[in-house]
Amino acid sequence: MHMPDNVKDCIHCNKCVKKCSFLTKYNIDLEAFSKREDLAYHCFLCNDCNIVCPKDIDGNKISMCMRINKINSDVEK
């Protein structure tokens, strides 16, 4: 599964960070989250980040993409 294309459109406004306790805890925005595969299972999939994102970046999709990619890489081993 591919990372959503619009992750690169992040303007670092931190609206997602203010709305999401997971992003707040790790002090990362959605773009930074997309680069942290180690945090894939820490996201609550609540969609609060996407609701406030002016660029319509979806944390659910980021998290699910990383989870699926992890599962696929584990299966290939």
Side-chain angles (χ1 to χ4, degrees):
M1 183 173 194
H2 297 287
M3 192 62 61
D5 288 336
N6 67 338
V7 170
K8 65 184 178 335
D9 297 334
C10 179
I11 58 173
H12 310 287
C13 65
N14 286 323
K15 289 182 179 183
C16 59
V17 180
K18 293 174 186 167
K19 186 69 174 174
C20 172
S21 58
F22 155 67
L23 295 174
T24 299
K25 178 179 179 179
Y26 292 97
N27 194 31
I28 55 174
D29 61 18
L30 290 171
E31 182 187 30
F33 174 42
S34 72
K35 298 172 183 173
R36 293 286 310 268
E37 291 181 6
D38 59 311
L39 298 177
Y41 288 93
H42 294 249
C43 172
F44 305 121
L45 305 176
C46 67
N47 207 38
D48 284 348
C49 58
N50 182 240
I51 292 169
V52 298
C53 181
K55 294 297 186 175
D56 198 34
I57 301 170
D58 190 337
N60 281 341
K61 289 181 182 175
I62 293 169
S63 184
M64 292 307 295
C65 172
M66 290 191 293
R67 292 175 189 195
I68 289 168
N69 290 344
K70 170 125 178 73
I71 291 167
N72 288 340
S73 82
D74 288 349
V75 168
E76 292 173 2
K77 289 181 181 177

